[in-house]
Amino acid sequence: MTISDDSVNALLDSLLELHPKKIDLSLDRSFALLNKLGNPQDKIENIIHFAGTNGKFSTLNFVKEILKYNQKSINAYISPHLVKFNERFEIQDQIISNETLHKTLSDVKDTNNLDPITFFEITSAGFFKLAAEHSSDYTLLETGLGGRLDSSNVMTPLISVIASISHDHHDFLGDTIEKIAAEKAGIIKKNVPVVIGYQPFNEARRVLLEYAESIEAPTFMYDQDYTMNKDEDHLVYEDEKHKIRFENLSHHGEFQIKNLGLAIATCFQLEDINIHSFLENNLHQKVYFPGRFEKLENNTLNNLISEQNELYLDGSHNPDAAANINEALRSLSEKKLCIIIGMLNTKDPREYIQQFSDIESIHTISIPGEENTLDSLTLKDMVHDQCQNTYASENIESAVQDIASKNPDARILICGSLYLAGQVLKNN
């Protein structure tokens, strides 16, 4: 039987009705449902668990491609998706079909039997069920929010991995870096190695190290146990046992260097993984990061710009990520920068947009189909102090057209939300 996208979406909508809140951080409901399912999370071997504010998805993708190069089969769980919910479940190297997704979530919903449970909790349980039924060499898990009470944090991994931590989700994780880092540190387990990437805040670094030490988790820390540096047009990864010099990333943002370094450090903790030839064959250049400083070239929006315009898409939505994107933009050839921004009403657009330098114009939009979007006029009022040329646009197409007509040689950046990035990628 063929299952349509509409049938999948109807099922997903029904899962949203099982709890009055979209987010209610707790592990009790997850453990109760998983217990009814026979605790599939305990039957999965070689789990690598990823947390962090920025970079965890990119690090996971680098790790995934290194492992696949080594002929290892992969199950992967990511969130959020960009275009289709199916993207969140990769089973034995394939994004799952509508049929598999619908059957799995229907079975899990029946097992849950109308008990209160959040959307992320019940869909995470669905992934664990599938991953246990279809074993792989490695299972890669990305946290959804935080770490300590995230519904992915219900098992003991082979390795924990923590990317950079910065300000985001204050309403759920706390209003200081120390509190946020403490929540992310919750994925660290007793006697399980944790690989810790570059940390822009020393407070986060300290919290992670102190917590790991308190539960006797071996640490492998950026700038302490491993480094990743530029050497002219090359990169050099180095730790106590390895030193690799290979070509610099040519079309990814410079911020991806830190994520690649964290991925290499993680894979060196695994047995019999050939990392050297992956890098020497330049395969790190080919890893795809949808909606992460992605240059759009075959999108329908490209039909609205001149040959001299450039169009970039990035789903970043917090100040640290914006600073990384600004750094990546400044490394490119000189062009006027025009920004199209859409953001959720839980974010701080002022602090986000302040991270960009030399903005020629800003066009604000409402994120299509997103009930929690800031409307374009409200968003305009919040960011217009950062740029004299700030306009509220009816939609993304009119924003692109307006920029291209006024600045036919500008670089256009669409940013502010992964939900917005997903809407843009639907036009591919």
Side-chain angles (χ1 to χ4, degrees), residues 91-137:
I91 299 295
Q92 294 179 342
D93 308 320
Q94 299 292 325
I95 292 174
I96 65 169
S97 65
N98 281 0
E99 290 71 28
T100 301
L101 178 62
H102 194 278
K103 182 181 187 310
T104 300
L105 293 184
S106 295
D107 290 347
V108 173
K109 181 183 178 184
D110 290 343
T111 301
N112 185 64
N113 194 27
L114 298 179
D115 285 345
I117 193 163
T118 68
F119 180 84
F120 193 69
E121 290 165 350
I122 196 168
T123 53
S124 297
F127 173 80
F128 285 119
K129 180 177 184 295
L130 264 182
E133 292 170 350
H134 301 83
S135 63
S136 64
D137 294 318

Side-chain angles (χ1 to χ4, degrees), residues 137-151:
D137 294 318
Y138 291 94
T139 293
L140 312 182
L141 289 182
E142 180 185 2
T143 57
L145 182 63
R148 181 176 65 92
L149 297 176
D150 186 82
S151 55

Side-chain angles (χ1 to χ4, degrees), residues 62-74 93 273-283:
F62 276 127
V63 169
K64 181 171 70 173
E65 294 306 319
I66 292 171
L67 294 178
K68 288 171 74 171
Y69 173 76
N70 281 267
Q71 309 299 313
K72 303 299 182 183
S73 60
I74 303 295
D93 308 320
I273 299 299
N274 183 346
I275 302 166
H276 290 75
S277 61
F278 176 87
L279 299 170
E280 289 163 0
N281 288 325
N282 253 338
L283 298 179

Side-chain angles (χ1 to χ4, degrees), residues 48-304:
I48 305 177
H49 200 192
F50 297 81
T53 307
N54 297 311
K56 60 182 182 293
F57 171 81
S58 296
T59 303
L60 183 153
N61 259 19
F62 276 127
V63 169
K64 181 171 70 173
E65 294 306 319
I66 292 171
L67 294 178
K68 288 171 74 171
Y69 173 76
N70 281 267
Q71 309 299 313
K72 303 299 182 183
S73 60
I74 303 295
N75 290 336
Y77 182 51
I78 67 160
S79 67
H81 62 281
L82 290 178
V83 178
K84 284 184 69 172
F85 184 88
N86 308 52
E87 299 165 27
R88 299 189 184 206
F89 289 25
E90 186 171 314
I91 299 295
Q92 294 179 342
D93 308 320
Q94 299 292 325
I95 292 174
I96 65 169
S97 65
N98 281 0
E99 290 71 28
T100 301
L101 178 62
H102 194 278
K103 182 181 187 310
T104 300
L105 293 184
S106 295
D107 290 347
V108 173
K109 181 183 178 184
D110 290 343
T111 301
N112 185 64
N113 194 27
L114 298 179
D115 285 345
I117 193 163
T118 68
F119 180 84
F120 193 69
E121 290 165 350
I122 196 168
T123 53
S124 297
F127 173 80
F128 285 119
K129 180 177 184 295
L130 264 182
E133 292 170 350
H134 301 83
S135 63
S136 64
D137 294 318
Y138 291 94
T139 293
L140 312 182
L141 289 182
E142 180 185 2
T143 57
L145 182 63
R148 181 176 65 92
L149 297 176
D150 186 82
S151 55
S152 65
N153 195 31
V154 291
M155 45 69 230
T156 301
L158 178 68
I159 299 173
S160 304
V161 182
I162 301 181
S164 70
I165 295 170
S166 60
H167 289 280
D168 203 1
H169 300 296
H170 284 174
D171 44 346
F172 294 106
L173 303 182
D175 58 0
T176 68
I177 284 296
E178 290 88 346
K179 290 178 181 177
I180 295 170
E183 292 298 318
K184 307 285 186 185
I187 74 162
I188 304 173
K189 302 293 191 301
K190 183 178 178 64
N191 298 323
V192 174
V194 55
V195 186
I196 301 172
Y198 164 79
Q199 297 300 322
F201 295 93
N202 285 329
E203 299 94 326
R205 177 188 174 103
R206 186 182 68 252
V207 168
L208 296 173
L209 286 174
E210 288 178 355
Y211 182 74
E213 182 179 357
S214 73
I215 62 169
E216 300 176 321
T219 58
F220 200 73
M221 162 73 81
Y222 173 82
D223 234 6
Q224 175 177 298
D225 301 294
Y226 79 92
T227 58
M228 182 80 153
N229 296 304
K230 287 198 296 184
D231 180 14
E232 297 179 344
D233 58 349
H234 283 72
L235 298 172
V236 179
Y237 170 91
E238 187 169 6
D239 62 33
E240 189 176 65
K241 299 179 180 177
H242 312 92
K243 184 173 183 178
I244 317 173
R245 188 173 187 269
F246 53 98
E247 287 189 24
N248 195 358
L249 294 166
S250 57
H251 58 277
H252 297 312
E254 188 161 301
F255 59 90
Q256 293 289 14
I257 293 173
K258 300 182 183 75
N259 298 326
L260 175 56
L262 178 55
I264 295 170
T266 299
C267 288
F268 270 130
Q269 310 306 306
L270 308 174
E271 292 184 8
D272 300 323
I273 299 299
N274 183 346
I275 302 166
H276 290 75
S277 61
F278 176 87
L279 299 170
E280 289 163 0
N281 288 325
N282 253 338
L283 298 179
H284 57 293
Q285 310 280 14
K286 299 180 180 180
V287 182
Y288 175 48
F289 306 102
R292 277 77 173 179
F293 199 62
E294 178 180 0
K295 187 175 183 180
L296 301 179
E297 296 182 307
N298 298 302
N299 193 277
T300 56
L301 295 177
N302 288 93
N303 298 326
L304 306 178

Side-chain angles (χ1 to χ4, degrees), residues 344-379:
L344 298 182
N345 55 22
T346 55
K347 304 301 178 183
D348 184 350
R350 294 184 186 91
E351 193 173 357
Y352 177 87
I353 209 72
Q354 285 171 4
Q355 308 306 314
F356 294 96
S357 52
D358 302 322
I359 304 173
E360 176 67 22
S361 71
I362 300 173
H363 284 63
T364 62
I365 61 170
S366 304
I367 302 172
E370 177 50 57
E371 62 180 355
N372 295 317
T373 184
L374 286 165
D375 70 77
S376 59
L377 288 172
T378 301
L379 186 51

